[in-house]
Amino acid sequence: MKRFFGYYRPYKSLFILDFSCAIVAGILELAFPIAVNQVIDKIMPQNNFRIILLACIGLLLFYIINTVLQYIVVFFGHKLGVLIETDMRDELFKKLQSQSFTYYDEQKTGTLLSRLTTDLFDISEVAHHGPEDVFITVMTLLGSFILMLNMHVKLAIATFILVPFITVALVFFNKKMTNVNTEIYESIAEFNAGVEAAVTGIRVTQSFANEAYENSRFTRLSQLYKRAKLMFYKVMAISSAYNYLMIRLINLFALVFGAYYTIQGQLTNGEFVGFILLSNVFIRPIEKVNNMIEDYPKGIAGFKRLTEELDRNSTIVDLPEAIDVESLKGNISYQDISFYYADDTKVLDHFNLEITAGETVAFVGESGSGKTTLCNLLPRFYEPSSGKITIDGIDIQKITLASLNKLA
């Protein structure tokens, strides 16, 4: 969480604006039922339409102010999310730029594209809605419950009694959907990688009449993605249906018990109407939490994948004693070089070569014999498994990558 909120630091003023407007809007929502209560119990009995009209104009001002606040929360809140998303994307792209060729040998293009696009979009939504939704939900629940207690303690408790059942369900479904979303992201990555490979290799596929194989492969990837999505929506549907029932029962409890206490004379008509309105305010954040269950697991799963990528160390980095080199003559020496790929495929075995400055050397050999690998070892796109390479007698591992690549 500390790492996630670190992305808010450059946009403190925007966050404060969005957050404060959301709080004020939440408070005004709580004030409305109380205002209606006063209109019914204190103003209506006076039979003075002018005062009622003034009260309604006051309520209209409430609505206008809330409309402006809603605009600020929606636009500037999403702007905050987009800015954070952009920073994350820039950071991830810079990280990808610093990775070695070995890293890209083990990655699929579609997987990396998913992490730069789909993952970050869902994180952006959480960055915008996350803090304010959680705070406003807690504030609205507590605020409306306290106001309901002030009106009638027994009625408030009867209305609140179902909330623990909703809370337990929210925790359960949130954990379940986070796990499902992780599977979805993995399926999307595999799906994108499969599409990318199929499209870029279409000439080879058609040349060897391999369309049937590619179609079956694509169908398998599509089915995996479909199953993951259906599982997500199944869990979401169960959660939504359960919460819908609980929320409507809260409304029903407020109506039944409120009517009973009003008939008994323990509540005025204004308090009864105000209580019903407060119960609607009370359940609104619960409904919002239902939406949060759909969006938050996506963002959490996406952020985990982002941090995994950002924390992945590059296999080729500057040594502490590496030096910047301004110029080199170009005497190159490969000394007892061996090189294996990650799957232990041997490419070079105790290879030696001397190239003097100004000399032109041509490599001839069949595909896979190591010609390209020899060239890639010089600028340290790969590291040799053993042996060393020197330029003008300087081990290339003791030259900074920036100066080595600049001179290369």
Side-chain angles (χ1 to χ4, degrees):
M1 292 300 291
K2 182 180 179 182
R3 184 170 185 176
F4 181 77
F5 284 111
Y7 287 97
Y8 287 82
R9 197 169 292 116
Y11 311 109
K12 283 181 183 177
S13 56
L14 193 59
F15 174 74
I16 291 170
L17 172 67
D18 173 47
F19 202 73
S20 342
C21 288
I23 291 174
V24 175
I27 292 172
L28 290 179
E29 283 291 318
L30 289 172
F32 179 71
I34 305 302
V36 172
N37 177 10
Q38 297 301 312
V39 169
I40 293 175
D41 279 348
K42 295 185 178 179
I43 298 178
M44 289 284 288
Q46 297 179 28
N47 296 320
N48 188 331
F49 185 72
R50 183 172 175 275
I51 297 176
I52 294 172
L53 189 60
L54 288 173
C56 289
I57 291 172
L59 290 175
L60 177 62
L61 289 175
F62 267 126
Y63 285 135
I64 292 172
I65 293 170
N66 239 5
T67 300
V68 175
L69 293 173
Q70 289 297 329
Y71 170 80
I72 293 172
V73 169
V74 172
F75 175 71
F76 288 99
H78 279 98
K79 181 180 178 181
L80 173 65
V82 169
L83 292 173
I84 290 174
E85 176 188 356
T86 304
D87 287 349
M88 289 178 175
R89 183 173 289 111
D90 290 345
E91 185 180 359
L92 178 57
F93 186 75
K94 287 175 184 175
K95 182 68 176 183
L96 294 176
Q97 290 284 85
S98 68
Q99 294 289 5
S100 67
F101 279 23
T102 303
Y103 168 83
Y104 286 101
D105 289 339
E106 299 169 354
Q107 297 292 327
K108 297 175 181 176
T109 305
T111 302
L112 298 179
L113 285 175
S114 291
R115 297 197 174 184
L116 281 166
T117 52
T118 309
D119 290 17
L120 290 177
F121 175 76
D122 291 328
I123 296 171
S124 167
E125 286 298 297
V126 173
H128 162 217
H129 295 291
E132 73 181 43
D133 277 359
V134 172
F135 183 84
I136 299 302
T137 296
V138 174
M139 184 195 77
T140 306
L141 281 171
L142 290 177
S144 56
F145 183 62
I146 289 170
L147 292 174
M148 289 159 73
L149 280 174
N150 285 334
M151 283 187 181
H152 199 281
V153 175
K154 290 181 180 178
L155 181 55
I157 292 172
T159 305
F160 186 78
I161 202 165
L162 293 173
V163 172
F165 294 96
I166 297 176
T167 305
V168 171
L170 289 176
V171 173
F172 172 78
F173 286 119
N174 184 67
K175 184 177 180 181
K176 185 93 173 166
M177 291 177 80
T178 299
N179 294 333
V180 174
N181 268 299
T182 301
E183 292 180 21
I184 289 175
Y185 280 128
E186 291 172 356
S187 299
I188 290 175
E190 287 294 320
F191 181 80
N192 288 342
V195 171
E196 185 266 339
V199 172
T200 56
I202 190 66
R203 291 177 178 83
V204 176
T205 299
Q206 292 182 354
S207 298
F208 290 91
N210 211 24
E211 290 89 349
Y213 171 77
E214 290 297 332
N215 285 336
S216 64
R217 184 167 171 268
F218 178 82
T219 301
R220 182 181 61 82
L221 292 172
S222 183
Q223 289 299 316
L224 286 173
Y225 178 54
K226 183 188 76 172
R227 279 198 293 271
K229 289 285 284 186
L230 286 176
M231 178 57 71
F232 173 82
Y233 287 123
K234 182 179 180 180
V235 176
M236 187 180 75
I238 296 171
S239 171
S240 297
Y242 177 84
N243 286 331
Y244 174 84
L245 177 62
M246 292 296 106
I247 288 168
R248 294 302 166 251
L249 284 176
I250 289 175
N251 272 333
L252 188 60
F253 277 31
L255 181 62
V256 171
F257 287 101
Y260 173 78
Y261 288 122
T262 302
I263 292 170
Q264 294 296 315
Q266 297 182 31
L267 280 176
T268 65
N269 289 334
E271 286 173 336
F272 177 53
V273 173
F275 194 93
I276 295 297
L277 292 174
L278 273 174
S279 70
N280 286 324
V281 173
F282 179 75
I283 64 174
R284 200 168 298 150
I286 299 175
E287 291 176 328
K288 182 178 282 189
V289 169
N290 219 18
N291 295 328
M292 288 159 58
I293 280 191
E294 179 181 354
D295 295 332
Y296 283 26
K298 292 180 183 178
I300 293 168
F303 189 69
K304 284 180 179 178
R305 285 161 59 88
L306 172 70
T307 53
E308 284 173 8
E309 207 60 57
L310 293 176
D311 292 340
R312 194 189 300 270
N313 294 324
S314 176
T315 55
I316 299 177
V317 294
D318 287 332
L319 295 176
E321 65 271 19
I323 58 172
D324 288 316
V325 177
E326 294 296 329
S327 62
L328 292 167
K329 290 180 181 179
N331 294 305
I332 300 169
S333 175
Y334 287 76
Q335 301 173 17
D336 200 30
I337 294 293
S338 293
F339 179 79
Y340 297 82
Y341 282 116
D343 60 359
D344 290 332
T345 301
K346 184 192 296 184
V347 181
L348 299 172
D349 188 18
H350 301 288
F351 179 83
N352 293 278
L353 176 67
E354 297 289 335
I355 304 174
T356 58
E359 184 180 4
T360 301
V361 177
F363 298 107
V364 180
E366 61 185 28
S367 179
S369 60
K371 302 185 298 297
T372 304
T373 303
L374 275 175
C375 298
N376 287 335
L377 287 171
L378 186 60
R380 292 185 68 196
F381 294 151
Y382 293 104
E383 295 282 38
S385 303
S386 64
K388 70 176 181 177
I389 302 171
T390 64
I391 303 177
D392 296 345
I394 306 172
D395 190 335
I396 60 171
Q397 294 196 350
K398 295 182 179 178
I399 302 174
T400 60
L401 286 166
S403 60
L404 179 64
N405 291 330
K406 185 178 179 182
L407 292 169

